[in-house]
Amino acid sequence: MEMRFLILLMILICTSCSKSTVVQSATSGNHISSAGAKSTESSEKKITESAHRTEHKKKDEPSDSLLRLYPVTIKSTYTIDIITPVILEGEESKSEKASSNAATDFLRGAMMALEKLKTCGGSFTINLVENNSNKAYPEILDVVKSHHPDLVIALVKDKEIVQYSEILGREKINFVSPVTITDSCISNPYYLQSNPGLKSYGESAAELINTGFPDYRITLINDKTTRADPLALAFLSKIHKDSLRIVDCKGKGALTQNTLKSFSPSKNVVFIPSRNEIFTSAILSQLQLDSSRETVIVGLYTWIGYSSMDAGVWNRFKVHLITPYHIDYGSTKIKTFVNTYRDEYIQEPNEWSFRGFDELLYYGTMLKKFGTYFQLHISEGDNTMLHNRYVFEQKKGCDGLKNSSLQILKFEDYRLQRVK
């Protein structure tokens, strides 16, 4: 049902677009495109390849020039492949259904971005490629390579990133991961990661505490062994350690009386780098039993989805969350997006809808402005999107670029507010 709806959606978009806008479905070999697109794409490819070869033959270009890595490649139409989990129509497991729904919502947001790019004069071919678990990733990427894309946006798991990156990197195809939070060093100069790695969360928590709570006693409470936790280690590498105490609960979900006695009788700030709902809820419940101390809790964005969230407890502890995702429903841009989405799909947009819109709009705009290899211009232009900013950095010893932008939310007066 969802797949049929999506294909119908793409047909409607194709019908309403000029002939320069093409949307294709690469599912099971089916293609949907506007008339005359094939010949236009073929001739355009030849022109681009000729320009590409000319760029590489410049005699006055130094051998180590970044232009050899990122040549100026301007086209009239850019091709983007979106790799998604299979969009299911029959019976499936709960996790499969969740992945299918997320992919559908992501694509709906992306199609809205395509419409916006078209109104700004952009011309794009969008190919949808399903990541069928019955197929090996080389087979999936063979389909992708046959499209000669300028950019691939892949909703794939962390463990698949390296394999995908190696193949696409050899083909010099820009590869975007919109969902992974890996800290792995990706040796591919065409890799772009839209989410910050986990270590960035630890560093941001340390910066928040160092600047916002300099005279508070600091406690790190972990549900695992801190020395084996990259996020916690990143926190420790940046935190001022004058009044730091580390508590490794190792899954026990309870603090000892000695630990509770070690808290300051006045000001405390506690960082809990856990994504385990049961553990986090148990620690917060235990800490609230003593109302005599002033305690601020710093945690992670995944807490927002906890069904056990107690607004009274969060308000008392002024919970601060480190997050790569936040929607300000009071802003004009968000209101416009929400109203358009409601009209188009008769439902409310969710996180995946916003992410899909931002991903295609950001990278599509970069292609339109700067060409296929836009990396040399990555810091230029407006990088503030609906759910986050896109601020890319290259880690030492790594070739790929990763977004480093994280936001700080504070729960106060019974609502989450952005403080940074």
Side-chain angles (χ1 to χ4, degrees):
M1 178 68 181
E2 294 286 2
M3 191 63 212
R4 286 194 293 271
F5 174 83
L6 187 60
I7 290 175
L8 176 60
L9 166 66
M10 290 187 290
I11 293 173
L12 291 173
I13 290 177
C14 286
T15 303
S16 64
C17 293
S18 63
K19 288 185 179 181
S20 63
T21 302
V22 182
V23 180
Q24 299 179 334
S25 170
T27 306
S28 304
N30 296 323
H31 297 270
I32 303 170
S33 61
S34 60
K38 185 174 181 181
S39 59
T40 302
E41 184 179 346
S42 176
S43 60
E44 182 180 287
K45 182 172 176 252
K46 290 177 182 177
I47 294 171
T48 304
E49 289 175 343
S50 175
H52 199 153
R53 286 194 296 271
T54 302
E55 184 68 35
H56 277 272
K57 288 180 180 179
K58 289 183 179 178
K59 293 181 180 180
D60 58 345
E61 185 179 288
S63 59
D64 61 345
S65 171
L66 285 174
L67 285 175
R68 287 194 176 275
L69 195 61
Y70 305 120
V72 178
T73 310
I74 304 297
K75 301 181 180 181
S76 59
T77 297
Y78 294 95
T79 300
I80 299 176
D81 277 20
I82 303 178
I83 304 177
T84 72
V86 175
I87 298 177
L88 302 161
E89 299 182 50
E91 295 184 3
E92 58 273 341
S93 69
K94 185 176 180 180
S95 61
E96 287 175 328
K97 183 66 176 176
S99 295
S100 176
N101 290 342
T104 300
D105 294 332
F106 185 93
L107 291 172
R108 286 172 173 171
M111 292 305 105
M112 285 181 59
L114 180 62
E115 281 290 276
K116 186 173 180 66
L117 287 167
K118 184 193 70 171
T119 62
C120 296
S123 178
F124 295 85
T125 298
I126 306 296
N127 298 307
L128 308 181
V129 182
E130 287 190 337
N131 182 8
N132 192 324
S133 58
N134 295 323
K135 289 185 178 180
Y137 67 88
E139 295 179 58
I140 297 168
L141 291 180
D142 283 343
V143 174
V144 170
K145 287 188 289 183
S146 71
H147 300 150
H148 305 287
D150 299 284
L151 184 109
V152 174
I153 300 174
L155 300 174
V156 296
K157 299 175 182 176
D158 283 12
K159 64 181 180 181
E160 298 174 296
I161 291 296
V162 174
Q163 293 93 327
Y164 275 68
S165 181
E166 286 177 355
I167 294 177
L168 293 173
R170 287 197 296 268
E171 299 294 324
K172 298 183 179 180
I173 298 172
N174 291 319
F175 171 40
V176 173
S177 173
V179 294
T180 185
I181 53 175
T182 182
D183 285 307
S184 299
C185 188
I186 305 297
S187 299
N188 174 3
Y190 307 102
Y191 175 73
L192 300 113
Q193 183 172 307
S194 299
N195 266 339
L198 274 179
K199 291 180 181 178
S200 297
Y201 292 80
E203 293 168 355
S204 291
E207 180 185 355
L208 167 66
I209 292 172
N210 288 337
T211 57
F213 308 97
D215 57 343
Y216 282 53
R217 181 171 294 178
I218 305 165
T219 303
L220 168 65
I221 301 178
N222 210 339
D223 60 344
K224 45 178 85 77
T225 303
T226 293
R227 64 173 178 270
D229 181 2
L231 193 161
L233 291 175
F235 172 80
L236 294 177
S237 71
K238 301 292 183 180
I239 197 70
H240 298 160
K241 299 182 176 65
D242 296 341
S243 61
L244 175 67
R245 178 180 175 85
I246 301 173
V247 180
D248 287 343
C249 293
K250 301 177 183 177
K252 295 178 182 177
L255 303 175
T256 65
Q257 287 302 311
N258 287 336
T259 297
L260 292 171
K261 289 178 182 178
S262 70
F263 279 74
S264 166
S266 54
K267 297 179 177 180
N268 297 275
V269 58
V270 179
F271 178 44
I272 308 176
S274 174
R275 291 179 286 171
N276 183 313
E277 180 176 359
I278 295 174
F279 174 82
T280 301
S281 298
I283 295 299
L284 292 183
S285 296
Q286 193 171 7
L287 289 175
Q288 73 160 331
L289 295 177
D290 188 345
S291 59
S292 62
R293 302 185 181 99
E294 179 187 347
T295 302
V296 174
I297 303 292
V298 178
L300 305 179
Y301 73 100
T302 50
W303 294 13
I304 296 173
Y306 288 175
S307 59
S308 59
M309 170 194 167
D310 185 322
V313 174
W314 278 41
N315 204 61
R316 176 179 177 257
F317 288 133
K318 297 181 175 62
V319 170
H320 288 63
L321 300 178
I322 315 296
T323 178
Y325 174 88
H326 175 62
I327 299 299
D328 177 9
Y329 285 95
S331 79
T332 301
K333 286 199 303 184
I334 298 298
K335 288 178 180 177
T336 300
F337 176 85
V338 170
N339 289 335
T340 304
Y341 195 94
R342 287 171 178 165
D343 291 342
E344 188 73 29
Y345 303 115
I346 322 299
Q347 69 177 52
E348 294 295 310
N350 58 21
E351 177 175 345
W352 291 104
S353 313
F354 285 108
R355 285 184 180 272
F357 179 85
D358 283 352
E359 289 291 297
L360 193 65
L361 183 61
Y362 176 78
Y363 292 109
T365 301
M366 293 300 288
L367 289 170
K368 177 179 174 292
K369 282 186 175 181
F370 305 112
T372 300
Y373 301 107
F374 52 78
Q375 283 84 345
L376 296 181
H377 304 276
I378 200 73
S379 62
E380 300 177 26
D382 184 10
N383 61 5
T384 302
M385 308 306 288
L386 298 183
H387 82 281
N388 196 14
R389 295 174 65 226
Y390 283 47
V391 182
F392 287 94
E393 293 181 351
Q394 188 176 55
K395 298 295 184 181
K396 185 177 180 180
C398 300
D399 294 326
L401 295 168
K402 294 184 181 181
N403 188 7
S404 62
S405 177
L406 286 166
Q407 303 169 72
I408 308 295
L409 305 182
K410 178 182 179 181
F411 196 83
E412 190 173 36
D413 297 329
Y414 290 89
R415 65 189 183 96
L416 276 172
Q417 307 171 57
R418 185 176 182 273
V419 295
K420 180 185 174 183

